[in-house]
């Protein structure tokens, strides 16, 4: 077992290793190889830290190795960490946190976690990131506010909703920007969203079924040994009871896959939804209450969210980021398409049904 060493000693050792790597024999008449770049020193330091786990995971500011200033804005680690991340400071008088060794080589994904974010605001954030950002994102929202009905982009209120009850009880109805079915969400719903570039997941074809299968394999890690989890058609189920509904949108270069998980639900809320004309075959004409189940009967809520993040970390290098940082990452102007349906629209749909 190697004895612990100080950060300064570790840094000096990285310089020595880099110098040794760059000092290969040169043909006659050639100049000696240039001093190693700071990026190489950072990566070498990272490797040495893996061998010396008691050393702090911090790289001190690198001294200049030539008479020419280093352009940190184009350096490897700067690109990896994201030059527009406001939580990261590349100044020469600051200490720079580096990613965990286990995530080296994995694509970067920004992680945002919320508690009780209104579902319409979440949908606006998701669509903005899908259409104006070039980075990968994971969003976990632990519940939303008042009960709200959310329909797919092509959903028809008259076919999906008990409109008279919805209007009488003033239940908000949203038409979202993705496909999929209709759900009613509230504080008992947990939302998980993945927004990715097409090349983010190796060998994944950017089509609905492959993306659905990929997400199912990720959640198989979350629910390993818990219930009889699997993907049935487009739903996540325990046995033959649904607890997770999925929706997607795929653009030229990016895709989004988001899921609403039924941690718990209010039986009364299910009465606002009609039995859809197009239903999965495994539903077998069952009512809503016979068709769905509660996740809380299978695992703790916080455990589910933590395990989801852990499973995502097996495929991405996660970087926590705050909501305020989105403006710096997506500067393009954006007008969201997800919106509340008006009472007039719902009333017109009800009249058309008569």
């Amino acid at each position: 077992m190697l004895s612990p060493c100080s950060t300064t000693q570790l840094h000096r050792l990285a310089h020595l290793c880099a110098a040794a790597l760059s000092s290969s024999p040169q043909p006659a008449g050639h100049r000696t190889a240039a001093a190693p770049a700071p990026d190489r020193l950072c990566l070498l330091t990272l490797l040495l830290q893996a061998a010396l786990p008691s050393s702090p995971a911090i790289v001190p500011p690198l001294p200049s190795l030539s008479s020419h200033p280093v352009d940190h804005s184009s350096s490897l680690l700067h690109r990896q960490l994201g030059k527009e991340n406001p939580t990261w400071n590349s100044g020469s008088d600051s200490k720079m946190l580096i990613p965990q060794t286990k995530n080296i080589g994995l694509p970067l994904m920004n992680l945002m976690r919320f508690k009780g974010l209104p579902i319409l605001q979440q949908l606006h954030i998701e669509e903005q990131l899908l259409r104006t950002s070039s980075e990968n994102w994971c969003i976990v929202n632990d519940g939303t506010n008042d009960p709200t009905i959310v329909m797919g982009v092509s959903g028809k209120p008259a076919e999906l909703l008990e409109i008279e009850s919805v209007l009488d009880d003033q239940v908000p109805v949203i038409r979202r920007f993705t496909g999929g079915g209709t759900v009613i969400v509230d504080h008992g719903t947990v939302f998980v969203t993945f927004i990715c570039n097409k090349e983010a997941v190796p060998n994944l074809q950017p089509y609905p079924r492959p993306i659905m299968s990929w997400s199912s394999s990720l959640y198989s890690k979350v629910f390993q040994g818990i219930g009889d989890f699997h993907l049935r058609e487009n739903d996540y189920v325990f046995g033959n009871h649904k607890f997770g509904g999925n929706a997607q949108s795929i653009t030229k270069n990016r895709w989004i896959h988001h899921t609403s998980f039924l941690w718990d639900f209010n039986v009364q809320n299910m009465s606002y939804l009609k039995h859809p004309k197009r239903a999965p075959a495994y539903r077998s004409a069952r009512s809503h209450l016979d068709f769905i189940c509660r996740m809380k009967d299978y695992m703790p809520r916080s455990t589910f969210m933590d395990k989801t993040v852990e499973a995502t970390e097996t495929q991405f290098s996660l970087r926590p980021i705050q909501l305020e940082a989105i403006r710096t990452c997506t500067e393009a102007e954006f007008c969201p398409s997800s919106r509340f349906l008006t009472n007039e629209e719902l009333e017109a749909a009800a009249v058309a049904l008569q």
Side-chain angles (χ1 to χ4, degrees):
M1 178 73 67
L2 293 174
S3 60
C5 64
S6 67
T7 303
T8 302
Q9 290 172 322
L10 186 63
H11 189 58
R12 289 175 180 172
L13 187 55
H15 273 279
L16 291 174
C17 291
L21 289 175
S22 64
S23 59
S24 56
Q26 300 290 329
H30 283 245
R31 294 183 178 179
T32 303
D39 286 336
R40 180 183 295 179
L41 292 176
C42 290
L43 294 175
L44 282 168
T45 302
L46 181 60
L47 294 175
L48 289 168
Q49 287 170 334
L52 300 170
S54 59
S55 301
I58 296 178
V59 178
L62 293 174
S64 176
L65 299 176
S66 69
S67 58
H68 300 287
V70 177
D71 180 10
H72 290 284
S73 65
S74 60
S75 68
L76 174 62
L77 288 180
H78 194 280
R79 292 195 302 274
Q80 287 176 339
L81 292 173
K83 61 184 178 180
E84 291 182 330
N85 179 11
T87 65
W88 180 71
N89 188 337
S90 62
S92 60
D93 60 348
S94 64
K95 293 184 178 181
M96 180 175 64
L97 297 178
I98 57 181
Q100 296 289 333
T101 306
K102 66 179 180 180
N103 291 335
I104 289 296
L106 296 179
L108 181 65
M109 174 173 277
N110 298 315
L111 171 66
M112 290 195 295
R113 299 186 69 163
F114 302 104
K115 185 173 180 62
L117 185 72
I119 184 58
L120 184 60
Q121 185 179 355
Q122 177 183 333
L123 290 167
H124 287 174
I125 291 171
E126 291 175 354
E127 188 176 5
Q128 179 184 3
L129 295 175
L130 174 69
R131 304 195 188 285
T132 68
S133 172
S134 60
E135 300 182 343
N136 304 311
W137 298 82
C138 175
I139 299 172
V140 180
N141 184 17
D142 184 9
T144 187
N145 46 10
D146 297 331
T148 304
I149 295 171
V150 184
M151 301 172 49
V153 65
S154 59
K156 298 179 179 179
E159 296 179 2
L160 299 169
L161 308 179
E162 297 290 352
I163 296 180
E164 185 175 345
S165 297
V166 169
L167 289 171
D168 288 345
D169 295 342
Q170 298 183 348
V171 181
V173 179
I174 294 173
R175 189 188 300 282
R176 65 175 180 266
F177 69 98
T178 58
T182 301
V183 294
I184 182 164
V185 299
D186 57 15
H187 58 83
T189 313
V190 178
F191 307 91
V192 181
T193 300
F194 295 100
I195 305 170
C196 294
N197 292 318
K198 285 189 174 181
E199 69 277 6
V201 180
N203 303 317
L204 177 65
Q205 295 296 315
Y207 299 105
R209 178 51 54 180
I211 294 173
M212 194 76 70
S213 297
W214 168 80
S215 71
S216 174
S217 66
L218 185 144
Y219 285 113
S220 293
K221 299 182 178 71
V222 177
F223 298 111
Q224 186 173 7
I226 300 174
D228 180 20
F229 168 78
H230 53 284
L231 175 68
R232 296 199 67 169
E233 301 188 34
N234 296 324
D235 301 331
Y236 298 141
V237 299
F238 288 132
N240 65 346
H241 291 90
K242 175 180 177 178
F243 69 93
N246 300 288
Q248 299 174 346
S249 180
I250 301 172
T251 66
K252 180 179 179 181
N253 297 311
R254 291 166 65 74
W255 54 264
I256 178 173
H257 177 92
H258 52 189
T259 307
S260 57
F261 290 95
L262 286 174
W263 167 256
D264 196 4
F265 58 85
N266 185 324
V267 173
Q268 174 62 32
N269 288 344
M270 296 299 138
S271 65
Y272 296 119
L273 307 179
K274 286 184 176 180
H275 191 295
K277 292 183 178 179
R278 296 179 56 188
Y282 81 95
R283 181 167 181 164
S284 303
R286 287 178 290 168
S287 68
H288 288 299
L289 296 182
D290 291 332
F291 177 52
I292 60 180
C293 66
R294 294 175 169 90
M295 280 183 61
K296 72 175 186 178
D297 295 333
Y298 293 87
M299 68 189 307
R301 188 166 182 156
S302 59
T303 300
F304 164 68
M305 290 183 285
D306 291 342
K307 281 184 172 290
T308 297
V309 172
E310 291 172 5
T312 306
E313 283 185 309
T314 65
Q315 301 194 34
F316 294 92
S317 177
L318 294 183
R319 174 180 62 181
I321 195 167
Q322 301 299 315
L323 177 61
E324 293 76 12
I326 293 180
R327 293 188 183 91
T328 66
C329 297
T330 56
E331 297 178 352
E333 292 186 5
F334 169 75
C335 181
S337 59
S338 299
R339 64 178 182 86
F340 286 117
L341 297 185
T342 64
N343 285 349
E344 289 75 14
E345 289 175 298
L346 294 175
E347 290 167 355
V351 170
L353 190 63
Q354 296 174 356

